[in-house]
Structures are given as structure tokens and as C-alpha cells.
Amino acid sequence: MQEGLWIIGAPEVTLAVGGVLLLLAESVTKLQPRAVGVLVLGVYLIAGLCLLPFAMSGAVLWGGIYTWDRFAVSGKAFFLLTGMLVTYLSLEGEGEVPAARAEFYILPLFCTAGMALLCSVRDFVLLFVALELVTVTLLVLVAYRRSDTASLEAGAKYLIVGGLATAFLVMGIAYLFGATGSTQFDGVARYAEKEGVGPVLILGLAFLLVGLGFKAAAVPFHIWAPDVYQGAPTPITAYLSVGSKAAGFVVLLRVLLLPFWNTDFQRHWVPLIVLMAAFSVVLGNLAALPQRNMKRLLGYSSISHAGFLLIGLASHSFLGFASMLYYLLAYLVATFTAFLVLVLLEREKEGKTITDLSGLVQRSPLLAWSMALAMISLAGLPPLMGFFGKLLVFLAAWESGFHALVMIGVAAAAAGIYYYISVVRAMFWSDPVHQAPIVVHPATQGLLMALNVGSVLFGFYAKPILALAAGAVSGIGG
Amino acid sequence: MAWLLLLAPLSSAFLVWVALRRHPRASQAVSITASLITFLTALGIALGRIEAPASLAWIDLPGLRVEIGMTLDALARLMLLMVTGVAFLIHVYSLGYMAEDPGRGRFFGELSLFLASMIGIIVATNFVMMYIFWELVGVSSYLLIGFWFEKNSAADAARKAFLANRVGDFGFLLGILTFWATCGTVAFHPEAARALAGNWLAPIVGLLLFCGCVGKSAQIPLHVWLPDAMEGPTPVSALIHAATMVAAGVYMLCRIFFVLELSPEALSVIAWTGGITALVAALIATQQNDIKRVLAYSTMSQLGYMVLAVGCSGTTAAMFHLTTHGFFKALLFMGAGSVLHALHHEQDIWRMGGVGRKMPLTFVTFGIGAAALSGIPGLAGFFSKEEILQVAARSQPVLFWMAAFTAALTAFYMTRITLVAFLGQPRTDVVRHAKESPLVMGLPLIVLAGLAIVAGYPFFGIVRYLGGQEAGENSLLVPAASLTAVILGLVAGAIGYGRASREPIAIPLFQRKFYFDEIYDWTVLKLQEESARLLSWIDQWIIGFVLVRGGAFVVSLGGEVLRLVQAGNLREYAFVFALGAGGLLFLLFGR
Amino acid sequence: MEGFLFWFLAVVLLGSAVAVVVNRSPVASALSLVTTILALAGLFGLLGAYFLAAVQVWVYAGAVMVLFLFIVMLLDLKAEEAAPIRTLGMGAGLLTVILLGAGFWHAIPASAWEANGARAEEANNAASIGHLLFGAYLLPFEAVGLLLLVAMVGVIVLSKRDV
Amino acid sequence: MGTPTLGHYLVLSGLLFAIGLAGVIARRDLLIMYMCLEIMLNAANLSLVAFSRFTQQVRGEVFVFFVITVAAVEVAVGLALLVSLYRMKRTTKAEEITALKF
């Protein structure tokens, strides 16, 4: 790729420029918020199209702080998809959003830009700044419904715990810089190769893990997640559970694969990741059992999924990383299906608890079936993507020798089935609490069908996704 | 071409699910066509007209390559033919049986899904592919058993089946993982298992894999789901309990025999599990009054026979019995279904009586099935049971005598239900007004009755197809003992129930099914109580201590602690976060 | 001289930081924080980072802390009641301080205690920072620009009275 | 009192960090908790500047520049949020903002 040409292809640039233009346009011309939302979808599309011609190129730019490889491209595509679905959710759940709504559509553009930037980082300074761009934007979005105390409370909790994570992150970067004299990933890797791994470096690694564990919502840095998920506007909850988590994992992959790939480092971080994974799957699944509030339930479920993703990471093998990426996509599809249904129900002023879902199949079979498929996929039952994701992650971890971890994972997944199935049971086997049938816009019907079919199809026919994932992983390595 | 086997039912299921759920006629047509296509394809394969296709790479990553392909050896071809044939007949039969059910569109869709997953198990070339379809069979049988989900009992039965199977599958998955970790491949290749030969892991792998069979083929102690699964529509009972799902476990054992044969210990555990299951289930069957439950327990007992045969290294005998059993058990279930259809779902045999005169066709075919199951010479069941007894006599004499006794019991309880239900005087008005079922239900009965008669003879060629009998001396003791057993059973049944209008014998232990359900319920209840206590403990102490509400004990520890661990309080959140970070540091530096 | 200044500033720094934590009155806490920041700016100067020391005073003490004080006054926050913060909270806090402090102490390599080496004599501090900022780190710099925009929009969105 | 070494600065910064963390845990007012977060960030900055001097790399100071900016941004947004919260609930005490819980 030509030096400089990347500006055309990079989604972060397109999204940022689009966002600024839309802000200007909206303040000058009094655009309808809905129109802004549709325009935002357009911006995502344009960004995706611009990305296409550069999909196969590779380069390291900006004096080594920014890299463009297949992993970066796949990640950017993933986040574009996430952003697009979030905007669609926001459009569908319009009633939930208060006045000054247009910004509610525009701000996620900047957040997605930050996530896209994170896919390419090769330098700790850039990592920090991009991560903060994501965190601060999400903070504003979480607290967006400022006449709703729950939203504000969620914002306050995100603010404080997020602030803690930031402080640890900065401290970690400080130590890494101090030990190696470089802020670039390969600088750290080179130093560790030459001088060995000293305590300061390990301290830096630990603090970095704290900061990123917060993003990924993994135990023990998970506490904020259920509260914030419950309080935030629903589209933003979806954004947090997919986008923010994926951002955490993308950065974890980048960081653990380049600067910390050294076996001396692995000796330190692999056991930590194993422990975090085990605790996450167990705590997430157990704590979700008694939940009745859907968003909170999905919050705990997302903690458990962080655990499953960490199992893939813990196996620190090619297979593990590739299956982790596959799992992320499976998680995206299922989570967005679930949240889309929730948003549609919220429009009817319900959908907060499992009871609200009772008898959904009689009111709208499509919604009920979509939700059921999403739950089954999250629970990890065949033949949906979620099942293959779990299977692959377990296979990878087993091969790397983490037998106990896999057994804990399998047992936790089995326990998790219980609460997912209780959602399904409410929808199919209980009498409806509300009666009115739900009208679903044809476009949304199409989207739901597409998500459902994708979940089944890419479960059975996993090869292309896996090939993509494998290509992406092979792109990262030093 | 061979891919049609999987594609036809899959696309039928997909089509019904996406578009045709509300159009029962269309979904019936689609689903029956699909099952006909699979049957014809299986026929083509069996006749050698259709070759096995090349495998496709399904997962191709460094370190893990899983192929999706088709094994079409004799074992698979026989099983395919039997499964698709019976499934096709069941589809046709369902046209009549489900004619008035408003949800039959969905029913046929689920049947197609089930058929597809079953075929997947049969043709699987490796453990991963088998596991995927294995789980899929579990899910689709869950859907089918719970088809009438409005009934609470059906929903409960479906859940029970699902849970029991999950327990088995957990072991199965661990077995697969261990196999993969030791052998480095997941393919079904005898050479692949070489790494296991002489390895101390061999019996463990074998037994873990056997766990899957215990769940699916309803062996003790995971059998409890099978009788309850009778809550599903009768064609489902026929499909699940006769030819397919429960047989999948036995088929799997035969398929992975190259692993099992590496460890004699595992084999003898398998043989004993099978023998005990056969005996216990037969004992229970003698005292059940629900016609479908009797059949369910008899299925369990026959499956025990097959597992016993595998445990005695008699895979041919097991597959032979599996096939003939598939025919006559499907026949029996459909016959029973035909009776239930006519009697408005009356299932108690003591409230029938004299059905034979009202429904001659059903009676004759059911009688043939019962005779075949009892092992009356000349019918299919006799030949295949004989094989199993021979195998058992050669390697496990104790089990042979148990099996022979079971054979007597089998003849006894089959005589019992035939006599009580079909002969004598009608005991209720419903029976007096019963009419023969429609021809669409009758035809499959006739076809299966024919098969139940001829399938066992050497000229039918099942054994030859499987590559001949296991080598070994056939002792004369076996036919003598089994004939005596059958005659004893028949006579005892005839004497006990020839003129009875009430149950003459009452053995509570058998009636209550050896109290398995009670024991499990009690255990589960205890478990639930304990886990509820554990959960509330976690809730109170771990979660409560760390981030949620305090309980009374917190008060006793002091109001100060209580204030520290307030619900939803950010301060504790920060504290937990810091503890987490401290924990990381401790793990890194404390060692 | 450097040694004396260091110890003086360190004591002020830690003392005022502790004061932020233990003061009951929010105003007093905020003022202690200003002191902390000023002491830190002094340490920056001691380390030769004059430009950063200036930025610290301007941005932190000048802008951020004034904002804090302003909000404290605006919300008219009352002093916290004595009991809870004095005992258990403090206990947990103290524990954290000790644990983390010990961790840091343990992690710092012995070589760090000898490293009183020469100052980075890249004579003009501000100039070299500027060069890096608009050279190697131009991309993060632009991203921070975007972040400021987001913050601006965010503040408006979060605090503007309903229209 | 000899010349302070890198170790002195690091311990100082570590203590400052821990004090900040302790403050976040111990204080009940969100605003004060937030001030303590600022202390933690400043502790990190001190480490960075010290490292920057002793490794002769200006890059650390550039990073401090970024950290200060980002901190200012977070303060602006965070305070706006807290003001909105105060408007709705008339409090910024952590234990009175506990509607969302297990």
C-alpha cells in the first residue's frame, strides 16, 4: 500500500470526518434526528466500501505506531458491522432516546472510529488515546438519558470504575516505557528478547491486564458490567457488550502477541489468563441464574462469554486465537439478535424482565424464534454458531493442555443452559402477560431473518469464517 | 449424489421452518418427499449404485483438521437402509396419526431435522462430526418429545430427556477430547488409535465414550428419560425408540469398536451394563399397565442386549439385532399407536380388552411383532437374539444366564399385553365403538410385519452383509436354553393372563420401576436444595460480601462490615477492583 | 540542594494527597488536591521537565481544579459525617496502600537505586516535545483532538437543560 | 540527603498511586472519589517523567502530555455527568446511588 493512501481506506478517518460533517450539518440545517440516523448508516457503508480496496494490503505506518494487516482489516470490518447494527438498534428504539437525539446517532461514529484505530495500534501511546476515545464516548452514551436516574447511575459507575482502569493502564504503560525506553510494541519485544524479563516489565504487564480486563469485563474486573448494562439505553448496552468487549480482546491479542509473546512473558501471563477465564465462566454463569431483568441477565452472560473468549486466549496457540475470533463473531450475531428483540419490545414499554417475554410466540413468532435462536446460540447448543465457537475454544484449550480449565468451562456452559432455556420457556410455554401483537417493520424482519440464517449457516459452514480468522491471526505475529 | 442423504432432509427442515410452518399440507408433502429421497438414495448406496463422495475440509486450521465426509461401509449402509426405511414408513404413518393436529406443519419440520441429524451420525467419518450430529439429535428429540408442549408432563419429559442426555454427552465430549489429545486426530481409523494401545488411558477413553451411549441408548443409570419420553406423539415414540435415536448409541459403539477393543476392562463394564439393563428393564416391563410404557421398557431391555453383545465383542450380533429390532419394535409402536388412535388415547391395557376383534389388521400385525420380539422360532427376533446369546455364552457365562432369563421375561410380558389388550371382552365403551385405523396407517404396519417375519433368515442376508458371524464355536446349549425360556415365558403368560380382567400379580418393586425415579427425584431434590443453599450461600457470602446485600450474619459481624458491603455501592466496586489488581500482583510476585 | 528539594516536595505531595483522602470537607479536599498538583509540578521541574511543570500548573491547577471547586460550590456539598469513613473505609484504604506499596517496593529493581544518572540534556524541552508531538505522535494527537470534540458534545448533551 | 535516584521517584509515585486508590475506596462522595482518581493519574505521570529523565527519552514526557489532556477531558465529561446526577437525585453519595444491584 502506498504511504499516505491509507487515509482513504482507514474507516477511522472516514467515520471521524463523517461524524464532524454530520455534527455541523445538524447544527446548521435542523435535520430530523431520524434522518441523521439514516445518514450515519450511510457513513458506515461508505467507510466499509472505502475499506474494500485496501483489504489485502499490509504496511506499518507512522514510524511504526500504526499497522495495517489482515487482522486490522478484519477487526475494522467487525467494528463497522457492530456500529451499523448499533445505529439500527437506535433507530428502532427511538422512543427510548430523549431530546437532542441526533448526537445519539453521531457519537457512536467516533466511538467506532476509536475501535477501528485500536485494531491497528502498535504503540502504547496510540493505544491509550484510542482506548480513551472509546471509553469517553461510551461514558456519554451510557448516561445519555439524563432524566433517567438508572442511566445516570450507570454512567457514574462506569465513570469511576473506568477511571480506575485508566489509571492502572497509564501506570502499566509507564512501567513498560520505563523498563524498555520505548513506547512501541516491537521496542518492548526487542528489549525483552535482549535483556530478559524483569520485575518492572511484569508489573507493567499486570497493570495493562487490569486496564484491558475492565474493557473485556472479565472477572475480577467485571463488577461494573451488570449495573451499567442494566442502566444504559438498550442500544448502548448492545454496543458495550459487543463493541467494547471486542475492543478489549482485539487489544489483548495485539498486545499479548507482539510485545509479550516472549516465552518468559508467557510464563507469567498464561496462568493469569487461565484463572481469569475460569473465574469468569463460573461467576458469570452462576450469577446469571437468579436474574429476572433481561439486560442484567445478558450482562452476567457477557461476563461468562468473556471467560470463554479468554479460554481461547489462554490456549495461546494459533488454533486458540482463530477460534476466539470465530467466537467473537458468533457472539456478535447472537447478542445483536437478542438486543434487537429487546429494543422492539421496549418500544411497547416492556421487555425489561423475563416475564415480559411470556408467550411472545403468540404475539410475534418471528421475534420469539429469533430470541430463541439467539439464546440457544449463546448457550452453545448445536447447530448454531455459538456451539461451534465453544467447541473450538475447548478443543484449542484441551490441546494446549488446560484440561481442568476445559472441564470447568464445559460444566459452566452446561449450567448456563439453564437460564437461557428459562428465557425460551417463558416465550413458548407461558401465557402472555401483554396481549397486543407486535408489528415489525419489514426491514427489521429482514435483518432478523438474516441474523438467524447467518447464525445457522455459519454454524454449519464455518470454514470461510475460520479461514478469515486464521488469516487474520497469521497477520498479527511479530 | 450421496450428499442428498443429508441435504434433502436438511433443506426440508429449513424450508418448513422458514416458510411453511403455517401450511401443514405443503410441509407434509415436502417432508415426505425428502424422506423418500433419502430412502431411495440409501437404497442406491446399498445396491452399490452411489459411491461415497470425497470428503470436504470443514475446519482446516493448523493443528486441527476436521473433514466432513461420508463413511459408507457395510455397517453404515445397513444402518442407513434401516433408518431411512423406517423413517419413511413413519412419515407416511404420521399422515394419518397427526391428521387432526393443528401443529403438524411444525411436526414434520422437526421430523426432517431429526432424520438429517440421525443420518449425520451414521455417515460420520470422525468424532467431531459425530459429536455435532449427536448433539443435534439431542436437540431435535427434545423438540419432538416436547411437541405437545402445552402439556406440562410433555415439557417435563422433554427436559428430563435433555438433561439425562447432557450428562452422557459430557462424558462423550471428554472422551473425544482425550482421544484427540492422545492420538492427534479425530478420524475413525483403526491406525489412529495406535497411540492408545497399551496406554493406561485406553480404558478411560473407552468408558468416557461409552457414557454417550449410556445416555442415548437409555442404559442404567441414565435410562429414566426413556419411559417418560412416551409423552411425545406415538410416531415419535416409534421413531426414537425403535430404529433411530436409541439405536444411535449402539451404532456408535460399533463404529468406535476399534477404540473399545483396546481395553478388556472397558468391554466388560459395557457388557455388564448391558446385561443388567436388559434384566432390570424386563422385570419392570412385566408390571406396567400403560401399553406404551411396556414397549418402552422392552426397548430398553433389548438395547441392553445389544450393548451386552458389543461388550462381548459381538458387533455383528449387535447390529443384526439392532436391525431386526428396529423393524418389529417400530411395528409394535405403530400398532399401539393405531390402537390409541382408535381408542381416543386410552393407554391403560386394563381398560381395553377385545380390541383384536374390532381391529383385525392391527391385531394380526401387532401379534407378529410381539411374537418376533418374544423370540418365537421362525421370526426375525429369534435369529438375532440367538446370535447375541451365542456371543454371550462364549465370553460371559453369567451374563448368558441372565440374558436367557430375560428372554423368558420378554415372552412373558409380551404375552401379557397381547392377551389383556386384544383378547377377551371389551371392558369399556370406547372399545365397543372402536374402528380400524385408516389405510395410510395400516400399510406401514403390513410392510413392517413382513419384514419382522423375514428379516432374520439367512437368505435376507443381513449377517452376510455385515461380513458373517463372529468366529467361534456355537454351542447347542444356547438354542436349548433360549427355547425353553421362551416356552416357559409364553406358558406363564398364558396361564396368568388368559382370563384375567384384573392384575393377578402385584410386585411393587417392579411397578415402581425399581424406585429409580423416586431415588433420582429425591437426589435431585436434595441436590436442588443443596445447590439452592449453596447459591444462597454464595449470594450471601461471596456476592453479598463482595458486592451485594448483607444478611443477618453480616449484622452480627458488625454494622461496619455491613456498611462496607452495601448493595450496588461504588465503593465496594472500587474495592473489588483493587483486590483483583492486588490478586494479579500477588500471583505474579508472590510466588 | 536537589536532595533537600526532593524530600520537601515529597513530604508535601504525600501529605496533601493524604489530606485529600481524609478531609471531611469537600472544599478542603479540593484545595489539598491543588497543593498535591503544585508539589508534583515542582517535582517535574526538579526532574527537568519544565514544560510539563508549566502545563501541570496551567491545565491541572488552573483549569481542572477550578472546575472541581466550582462544582463543589455549585452542588453545595456537605461535609461527610464522621463515622464510616474514619474506621472501616480507612482500614480498607490503609490496607490497599500498604499492599500496593509493598508490591511496588518489591518490583523496583535494585539498579533503580543507583540510577541517578545525568539529566536528559535535550536542551530545549518544549521544542523536543513539540517535534515528537507533531512528528511521530501526530496520529494520537489528532485522535486527542477528536476526543476533545467528543467531550465537548458530551458535556453539552449531558448537562444542557431539556429543550 | 543525597541526590534522589529513580528508585526514590518510583516509590514516591507508587505511594501516591496507592493513596489515590485508597481514597477511591474509602470516600463516599463521588466527587471526592473522582479527585482521588486524579491523584492516581498524577502518580502515573510522576513515574513517566522520572523514567523519561533516567532513560533519556523525551517520549515519556510526550505521553504525560497526552495523559494530562485526556484527564482534563474525563474531568469535564465526568463532572457534567455528576451535575446531572445531582440534579436528579440531590446527592452524590455513593451509597445513595444503588438502585442498580444484584
Side-chain angles (χ1 to χ4, degrees):
Chain A
M1 176 163 61
Q2 294 288 311
E3 186 91 17
L5 262 183
W6 68 278
I7 288 183
I8 303 167
E12 45 269 45
V13 179
T14 320
L15 294 179
V17 171
V20 173
L21 286 181
L22 277 177
L23 274 180
L24 284 176
E26 183 245 355
S27 60
V28 175
T29 59
K30 294 278 160 235
L31 271 173
Q32 285 292 313
R34 236 190 129 67
V36 175
V38 176
L39 285 176
V40 167
L41 281 180
V43 174
Y44 281 123
L45 266 185
I46 295 171
L49 287 178
C50 293
L51 180 61
L52 272 182
F54 299 92
M56 299 312 279
S57 20
V60 176
L61 305 162
W62 290 98
I65 69 170
Y66 184 97
T67 169
W68 188 279
D69 51 29
R70 285 181 65 189
F71 179 73
V73 172
S74 330
K76 284 170 209 272
F78 181 90
F79 287 122
L80 283 179
L81 189 62
T82 311
M84 214 159 180
L85 286 168
V86 168
T87 307
Y88 197 87
L89 250 63
S90 314
L91 279 167
E92 276 293 342
E94 215 180 0
E96 286 289 290
V97 185
R101 277 173 298 182
E103 286 81 9
F104 193 68
Y105 298 110
I106 300 175
L107 280 175
L109 278 176
F110 298 123
C111 191
T112 313
M115 292 174 182
L117 194 54
L118 277 177
C119 296
S120 291
V121 288
R122 245 172 130 262
D123 179 277
F124 285 110
V125 176
L126 187 59
L127 185 156
F128 170 72
V129 172
L131 210 56
E132 282 312 300
L133 183 54
V134 174
T135 311
V136 171
T137 322
L138 277 174
L139 174 62
V140 175
L141 288 169
V142 165
Y144 203 93
R145 285 188 316 203
R146 70 196 136 91
S147 49
D148 172 12
T149 46
S151 179
L152 285 172
E153 183 180 333
K157 287 179 172 171
Y158 193 70
L159 174 72
I160 300 292
V161 184
L164 271 176
T166 304
F168 275 96
L169 185 77
V170 176
M171 202 68 179
I173 295 176
Y175 285 127
L176 291 175
F177 163 75
T180 64
S182 168
T183 60
Q184 291 195 5
F185 288 1
D186 48 359
V188 175
R190 262 200 308 273
Y191 177 88
E193 201 65 49
K194 211 166 64 205
E195 310 279 330
V197 177
V200 177
L201 267 178
I202 294 175
L203 202 60
L205 169 67
F207 280 23
L208 203 65
L209 278 183
V210 174
L212 295 176
F214 161 79
K215 277 269 154 239
V219 176
F221 312 110
H222 65 286
I223 357 160
W224 60 278
D227 285 13
V228 174
Y229 279 30
Q230 187 183 351
T234 310
I236 301 310
T237 308
Y239 205 11
L240 277 171
S241 61
V242 177
S244 175
K245 189 182 296 288
F249 276 98
V250 163
V251 178
L252 269 175
L253 259 186
R254 273 250 181 257
V255 169
L256 294 181
L257 249 72
L258 186 52
F260 301 126
W261 190 238
N262 192 316
T263 36
D264 276 349
F265 270 128
Q266 282 182 9
R267 201 161 49 81
H268 288 99
W269 61 258
V270 169
L272 291 188
I273 301 278
V274 168
L275 270 182
M276 284 165 78
F279 279 114
S280 299
V281 290
V282 171
L283 192 138
N285 278 317
L286 282 187
L289 284 175
Q291 299 305 330
R292 304 298 297 168
N293 180 299
M294 275 307 289
K295 277 157 79 179
R296 199 170 180 83
L297 185 144
L298 287 170
Y300 283 112
S301 129
S302 100
I303 294 174
S304 79
H305 288 291
F308 290 118
L309 288 161
L310 282 173
I311 291 180
L313 194 62
S315 53
H316 67 286
S317 64
F318 187 85
L319 182 61
F321 298 138
S323 46
M324 195 182 114
L325 295 184
Y326 178 84
Y327 196 107
L328 264 179
L329 191 69
Y331 178 69
L332 173 135
V333 172
T335 308
F336 271 108
T337 314
F339 277 108
L340 188 49
V341 174
L342 285 188
V343 162
L344 290 172
L345 284 175
E346 269 175 8
R347 218 165 46 176
E348 317 278 321
K349 298 278 170 267
E350 46 186 273
K352 300 260 190 293
T353 64
I354 294 185
T355 326
D356 285 334
L357 291 170
S358 304
L360 185 63
V361 68
Q362 292 165 39
R363 307 171 62 203
S364 167
L366 176 68
L367 291 192
W369 278 98
S370 308
M371 189 68 163
L373 282 181
M375 289 296 126
I376 292 172
S377 182
L378 288 176
L381 294 178
L384 301 172
M385 282 182 89
F387 167 74
F388 295 95
K390 281 209 177 70
L391 187 65
L392 285 170
V393 168
F394 289 152
L395 278 173
W398 192 275
E399 195 196 32
S400 300
F402 300 109
H403 300 183
L405 180 62
V406 173
M407 280 192 231
I408 294 175
V410 173
I417 290 175
Y418 184 81
Y419 61 86
Y420 293 117
I421 291 292
S422 76
V423 175
V424 175
R425 194 167 52 180
M427 291 189 298
F428 286 84
W429 297 341
S430 324
D431 293 324
V433 179
H434 309 274
Q435 296 299 337
I438 299 163
V439 189
V440 183
H441 191 270
T444 311
Q445 285 183 6
L447 180 61
L448 276 175
M449 279 314 272
L451 287 170
N452 290 342
V453 171
S455 180
V456 177
L457 193 70
F458 289 122
F460 265 122
Y461 188 51
K463 204 182 162 200
I465 306 287
L466 278 172
L468 215 65
V473 174
S474 63
I476 312 183
Chain B
M1 270 298 272
W3 288 116
L4 272 180
L5 275 179
L6 279 172
L7 288 182
L10 265 186
S11 44
S12 149
F14 192 70
L15 210 63
V16 171
W17 171 60
V18 170
L20 300 176
R21 236 177 310 141
R22 304 238 167 274
H23 311 88
R25 285 176 170 286
S27 48
Q28 277 170 1
V30 168
S31 173
I32 288 194
T33 320
S35 77
L36 182 62
I37 292 174
T38 35
F39 177 58
L40 292 178
T41 317
L43 205 62
I45 290 170
L47 295 176
R49 295 289 164 81
I50 298 177
E51 294 292 316
S55 319
L56 311 172
W58 181 69
I59 296 177
D60 195 3
L61 296 173
L64 177 64
R65 181 180 166 86
V66 176
E67 291 188 336
I68 192 156
M70 290 201 168
T71 317
L72 295 179
D73 56 2
L75 192 67
R77 279 185 283 183
L78 176 70
M79 187 78 180
L80 270 181
L81 204 55
M82 202 269 291
V83 166
T84 54
V86 173
F88 174 63
L89 290 175
I90 286 166
H91 273 81
V92 174
Y93 177 89
S94 304
L95 277 183
Y97 194 87
M98 303 295 286
E100 280 126 40
D101 198 295
R104 59 188 187 282
R106 181 162 61 86
F107 178 77
F108 278 93
E110 287 168 6
L111 270 189
S112 289
L113 179 65
F114 183 84
L115 182 58
S117 26
M118 196 60 215
I119 290 172
I121 290 186
I122 299 174
V123 300
T125 54
N126 57 62
F127 277 110
V128 172
M129 186 176 165
M130 181 175 257
Y131 182 73
I132 290 163
F133 285 102
W134 188 266
E135 288 274 309
L136 204 53
V137 163
V139 170
S140 52
S141 75
Y142 174 71
L143 292 174
L144 279 171
I145 295 173
F147 179 72
W148 284 318
F149 53 73
E150 305 86 15
K151 286 203 297 185
N152 263 334
S153 56
D156 287 347
R159 206 168 58 225
K160 202 167 179 181
F162 190 69
L163 288 179
N165 273 304
R166 284 221 69 83
V167 174
D169 293 352
F170 180 70
F172 189 41
L173 179 61
L174 289 186
I176 293 175
L177 288 174
T178 320
F179 179 85
W180 181 53
T182 26
C183 303
T185 173
V186 289
F188 294 138
H189 268 308
E191 301 95 73
R194 212 179 299 140
L196 269 178
N199 194 328
W200 62 274
L201 275 172
I204 295 177
V205 172
L207 287 179
L208 282 174
L209 292 173
F210 177 59
C211 283
C213 170
V214 172
K216 274 255 160 2
S217 289
Q219 298 297 296
I220 284 174
L222 292 181
H223 65 282
V224 281
W225 64 271
L226 192 130
D228 287 27
M230 293 297 131
E231 291 296 337
T234 304
V236 173
S237 310
L239 187 65
I240 288 179
H241 302 108
T244 53
M245 173 168 157
V246 289
V250 177
Y251 175 80
M252 185 268 278
L253 288 186
C254 297
R255 173 61 71 208
I256 60 158
F257 194 71
F258 68 95
V259 182
L260 302 180
E261 68 185 348
L262 297 175
S263 100
E265 302 91 333
L267 278 181
S268 65
V269 170
I270 291 171
W272 276 95
T273 312
I276 293 172
T277 306
L279 181 64
V280 169
L283 285 174
I284 297 176
T286 56
Q287 287 279 290
Q288 297 299 309
N289 296 327
D290 181 325
I291 188 167
K292 280 175 77 180
R293 274 182 188 264
V294 176
L295 293 177
Y297 278 107
S298 103
T299 309
M300 214 179 112
S301 163
Q302 300 300 311
L303 287 166
Y305 267 123
M306 301 172 209
V307 172
L308 164 66
V310 174
C312 299
S313 302
T315 48
T316 306
M319 283 307 292
F320 184 26
H321 194 57
L322 192 157
T323 315
T324 56
H325 174 258
F327 294 143
F328 56 69
K329 190 49 69 64
L331 168 64
L332 285 170
F333 267 112
M334 292 206 253
S338 166
V339 172
L340 304 188
H341 192 65
L343 300 187
H344 306 291
H345 297 274
E346 176 58 63
Q347 308 202 350
D348 188 341
I349 51 171
W350 295 105
R351 297 171 61 80
M352 295 178 183
V355 177
R357 242 169 302 152
K358 299 285 179 188
M359 309 173 69
L361 174 66
T362 307
F363 175 48
V364 172
T365 48
F366 190 90
I368 293 172
L373 175 59
S374 307
I376 289 175
L379 296 174
F382 171 74
F383 295 100
S384 52
K385 204 177 281 181
E386 194 68 20
E387 283 294 318
I388 292 183
L389 291 174
Q390 289 284 8
V391 172
R394 275 200 292 271
S395 61
Q396 303 263 12
V398 182
L399 284 174
F400 162 71
W401 289 109
M402 269 167 72
F405 180 57
T406 308
L409 288 174
T410 311
F412 174 75
Y413 65 70
M414 285 318 289
T415 317
R416 171 177 176 259
I417 62 166
T418 316
L419 288 178
V420 173
F422 287 89
L423 297 179
Q425 291 304 313
R427 294 188 201 92
T428 51
D429 275 344
V430 194
V431 182
R432 283 179 205 110
H433 299 121
K435 277 201 290 288
E436 183 60 272
S437 300
L439 192 64
V440 68
M441 287 164 71
L443 267 178
L445 292 180
I446 296 171
V447 176
L448 284 172
L451 284 168
I453 296 173
V454 300
Y457 286 98
F459 72 80
F460 200 73
I462 293 181
V463 174
R464 190 163 10 103
Y465 203 82
L466 285 168
Q469 293 171 350
E470 273 85 8
E473 198 79 358
N474 277 356
S475 86
L476 270 177
L477 170 74
V478 172
S482 72
L483 265 182
T484 321
V486 170
I487 290 165
L488 275 179
L490 282 177
V491 172
I495 291 172
Y497 294 91
R499 306 207 162 273
S501 59
R502 281 187 312 110
E503 180 63 57
I505 321 161
I507 307 173
L509 180 67
F510 300 167
Q511 274 167 354
R512 307 298 306 151
K513 312 150 194 166
F514 281 78
Y515 299 101
F516 264 111
D517 278 338
E518 281 77 2
I519 294 168
Y520 281 172
D521 281 352
W522 185 81
T523 324
V524 168
L525 205 72
K526 273 283 156 203
L527 265 180
Q528 256 171 4
E529 259 174 32
E530 288 306 316
S531 58
R533 202 171 299 156
L534 180 73
L535 266 183
S536 77
W537 187 84
I538 290 173
D539 193 40
Q540 285 189 330
W541 280 94
I542 307 214
I543 298 167
F545 184 73
V546 179
L547 64 148
V548 203
R549 60 183 161 266
F553 62 95
V554 180
V555 178
S556 68
L557 276 185
E560 300 296 60
V561 183
L562 178 65
R563 249 176 239 108
L564 186 73
V565 285
Q566 283 274 325
N569 190 342
L570 250 174
R571 279 167 62 200
E572 282 102 62
Y573 291 16
F575 187 49
V576 172
F577 200 94
L579 274 186
L584 281 196
L585 287 184
F586 177 77
L587 283 171
L588 285 174
F589 292 109
R591 288 177 303 171
Chain C
M1 184 60 191
E2 200 186 330
F4 170 73
L5 266 180
F6 172 80
W7 288 108
F8 173 71
L9 286 172
V11 168
V12 172
L13 182 72
L14 294 181
S16 57
V18 170
V20 174
V21 177
V22 297
N23 251 318
R24 268 186 256 169
S25 148
V27 179
S29 281
L31 288 174
S32 308
L33 185 54
V34 175
T35 319
T36 315
I37 283 163
L38 289 178
L40 201 63
L43 282 171
F44 285 1
L46 204 58
L47 283 163
Y50 304 115
F51 177 65
L52 280 181
V55 170
Q56 181 84 353
V57 174
W58 289 329
V59 176
Y60 251 120
V64 174
M65 286 321 300
V66 168
L67 197 58
F68 259 114
L69 266 175
F70 177 67
I71 298 294
V72 170
M73 307 285 193
L74 179 76
L75 302 189
D76 193 18
L77 294 179
K78 299 286 179 297
E80 289 179 16
E81 320 80 78
I85 172 175
R86 283 290 98 96
T87 51
L88 244 149
M90 273 299 130
L94 213 63
L95 188 76
T96 324
V97 173
I98 294 168
L99 279 181
L100 266 181
F104 286 125
W105 188 276
H106 187 83
I108 291 165
S111 61
W113 297 103
E114 285 113 46
N116 54 354
R119 175 166 310 163
E121 294 297 355
E122 294 175 51
N124 197 337
N125 212 255
S128 45
I129 289 183
H131 273 297
L132 276 171
L133 215 48
F134 295 100
Y137 290 124
L138 183 58
L139 191 60
F141 186 77
E142 296 290 339
V144 165
L146 203 60
L147 185 56
L148 284 168
L149 176 68
V150 167
M152 219 164 70
V153 176
V155 169
I156 294 172
V157 163
L158 286 178
S159 56
K160 191 175 66 173
R161 292 242 176 238
D162 283 315
V163 219
Chain D
M1 288 191 209
T3 334
T5 63
L6 177 60
H8 288 99
Y9 283 101
L10 289 188
V11 170
L12 186 60
S13 137
L15 279 177
L16 196 60
F17 190 83
I19 291 172
L21 185 57
V24 178
I25 295 167
R27 294 303 296 241
R28 316 166 59 205
D29 194 305
L30 290 182
L31 212 63
I32 315 273
M33 287 166 90
Y34 208 70
M35 289 181 194
C36 296
L37 280 176
E38 293 303 316
I39 295 184
M40 291 172 75
L41 279 179
N42 276 305
N45 281 350
L46 178 59
S47 277
L48 273 168
V49 175
F51 277 131
S52 198
R53 175 188 159 176
F54 289 103
T55 56
Q56 331 248 318
Q57 284 277 347
V58 197
R59 283 169 186 261
E61 292 184 23
V62 179
F63 188 49
V64 173
F65 185 80
F66 280 115
V67 176
I68 292 179
T69 321
V70 168
V73 164
E74 280 201 335
V75 168
V77 177
L79 290 183
L81 198 158
L82 292 183
V83 169
S84 287
L85 186 69
Y86 186 79
R87 258 194 222 146
M88 296 299 299
K89 300 200 61 152
R90 292 279 135 203
T91 179
T92 53
K93 296 269 179 288
E95 51 262 58
E96 285 163 40
I97 315 174
T98 56
L100 302 171
K101 60 184 166 200
F102 188 74

